Amino acid sequence: MQILGFPDSLAPARRLADALGGDCGAIDVHRFPDGESLVTLPPQLADTVVLFRGLEDANARLVELLLACDGARANGARRIILVAPYLCYMRQDKAFHPGQAVSQRIIGEHLSRWVDDLITVDPHLHRIARLDQALPHCNALATSAAPLLGEFLRGRGGDGVLVGPDEESRQWVEQVALASGLPFVIATKERLGDREVRIALPAYPYRGADAILVDDVISSGKTMAETARQLRAAGAGAVSALCTHALFAPGALEAMAAAGIGEVWSSSAIAHGSNRIDLTPVLAEAVLQASRV
Ligand code: R5P
């Protein structure tokens, strides 16, 4: 098995190769002045190759992935296992207004034809139950960072309450609670725009309690910031934030800090200075599981 990393994923690809005892090669990407990409792979590839590429910052990365998948097959690969810890375009799973393209279905339809197996972490599935419904043409495997997030909290010690900002977060918060031994509550969220949400907290004795906000994705940071504001208003002590996918759009960390969020921790699903939980072991286990099919 040969593991290949793109320039932006070479470090985690090497960690994965070490964990699997395989070779790690590099895919070179050159961006032309007009924004187009030139993708170069090792000229001779093994039967099974693992392409490691997170799909945050998705638009250019998707095109480069398409070029790499086709190039890998031309260079001898017969089976492509894609490890994409962050899977893009999963949040739009229906047309919220007439005329909208449903990106989850469209991207999933195409992506699942490029590869034989796709491994991802905590994909944002809301109105569908299983990843293979979004990725109908490949062997799709979703693994979760939540147990490791919970173990991280348990290792830190201390108490507090986990707070999921919306009903969609319940699936992850419950697992983090199980692994950490901490209690949890789930708030309700109304999205008013890309960077505007309204949060309502359920009843809980917040006064003096430390709170740890838990979600799959932090993008603009407004969901976390607004939840933190409500918690501070309810008298909570220290507020921190924990997530799988540290997308952090420009201004997100500043907005969270301004709302009183102290520490911010994330998994390595997206490389960021807040990464505290290395997902290499769960990714390696998922690759082994996929390759046994
Ligand atoms: C959506 O339901 C997700 O779970 C996150 O809550 C959301 O994507 C966070 O977005 P933002 O950081 O922009 O509020």
Side-chain angles (χ1 to χ4, degrees):
M1 188 182 298
Q2 192 172 13
I3 292 96
L4 297 177
F6 287 72
D8 46 58
S9 61
L10 207 46
R14 287 202 173 113
R15 294 201 300 271
L16 182 64
D18 286 348
L20 291 168
D23 288 335
C24 185
I27 297 174
D28 185 59
V29 177
H30 172 74
R31 291 256 171 96
F32 292 109
D34 60 8
E36 291 184 3
S37 300
L38 173 67
V39 170
T40 308
L41 299 106
Q44 278 177 349
L45 295 176
D47 261 17
T48 299
V49 296
V50 178
L51 297 186
F52 196 118
R53 184 159 237 204
L55 292 173
E56 62 275 14
D57 191 14
N59 294 352
R61 289 185 183 209
L62 278 171
V63 172
E64 289 163 4
L65 179 63
L66 170 61
L67 299 175
C69 288
D70 216 72
R73 295 206 196 273
N75 295 358
R78 290 152 60 102
R79 179 174 186 180
I80 297 175
I81 302 176
L82 172 65
V83 175
Y86 179 72
L87 185 56
C88 57
Y89 284 111
M90 286 295 111
R91 280 175 287 175
Q92 175 131 28
D93 57 6
K94 70 170 202 176
F96 296 98
H97 297 286
Q100 287 180 344
V102 180
S103 54
Q104 183 191 80
R105 187 181 56 71
I106 298 165
I107 298 291
E109 172 74 26
H110 286 276
L111 193 50
S112 65
R113 288 186 191 279
W114 303 347
V115 300
D116 299 282
D117 310 82
L118 190 153
I119 292 162
T120 191
V121 182
D122 293 332
H124 191 94
L125 305 181
H126 180 35
R127 274 162 282 261
I128 61 168
R130 297 185 330 267
L131 185 60
D132 61 3
Q133 295 169 272
L135 298 166
H137 306 296
C138 69
N139 171 36
L141 215 159
T143 185
S144 180
L148 289 184
L149 299 183
E151 281 173 30
F152 165 76
L153 292 179
R154 185 184 283 278
R156 287 188 73 250
D159 48 21
V161 59
L162 307 177
V163 181
D166 51 31
E167 196 50 44
E168 296 163 42
S169 68
R170 180 183 292 276
Q171 55 190 305
W172 299 290
V173 178
E174 282 179 349
Q175 289 184 64
V176 175
L178 197 65
S180 65
L182 294 172
F184 72 92
V185 296
I186 304 291
T188 49
K189 176 168 90 179
E190 189 186 350
R191 185 165 282 287
L192 308 170
D194 283 351
R195 291 172 183 270
E196 209 186 336
V197 297
R198 196 177 288 145
I199 299 283
L201 293 174
Y204 185 85
Y206 296 105
R207 187 153 297 281
D210 290 346
I212 300 147
L213 308 180
V214 179
D215 209 353
D216 58 336
V217 173
I218 302 178
S219 178
S220 71
K222 290 299 164 79
T223 296
M224 290 295 186
E226 190 48 34
T227 312
R229 264 191 211 98
Q230 300 295 329
L231 285 162
R232 306 299 294 220
V239 180
S240 40
L242 176 65
C243 70
T244 300
H245 300 291
L247 279 178
F248 295 133
L253 287 166
E254 292 79 359
M256 290 164 62
I261 298 177
E263 296 195 81
V264 179
W265 310 293
S266 62
S267 86
S268 63
I270 295 177
H272 186 264
S274 61
N275 289 175
R276 295 292 180 276
I277 300 104
D278 182 15
L279 297 182
T280 304
V282 287
L283 295 176
E285 178 53 41
V287 171
L288 290 175
Q289 193 183 327
S291 58
R292 281 194 289 264
V293 173

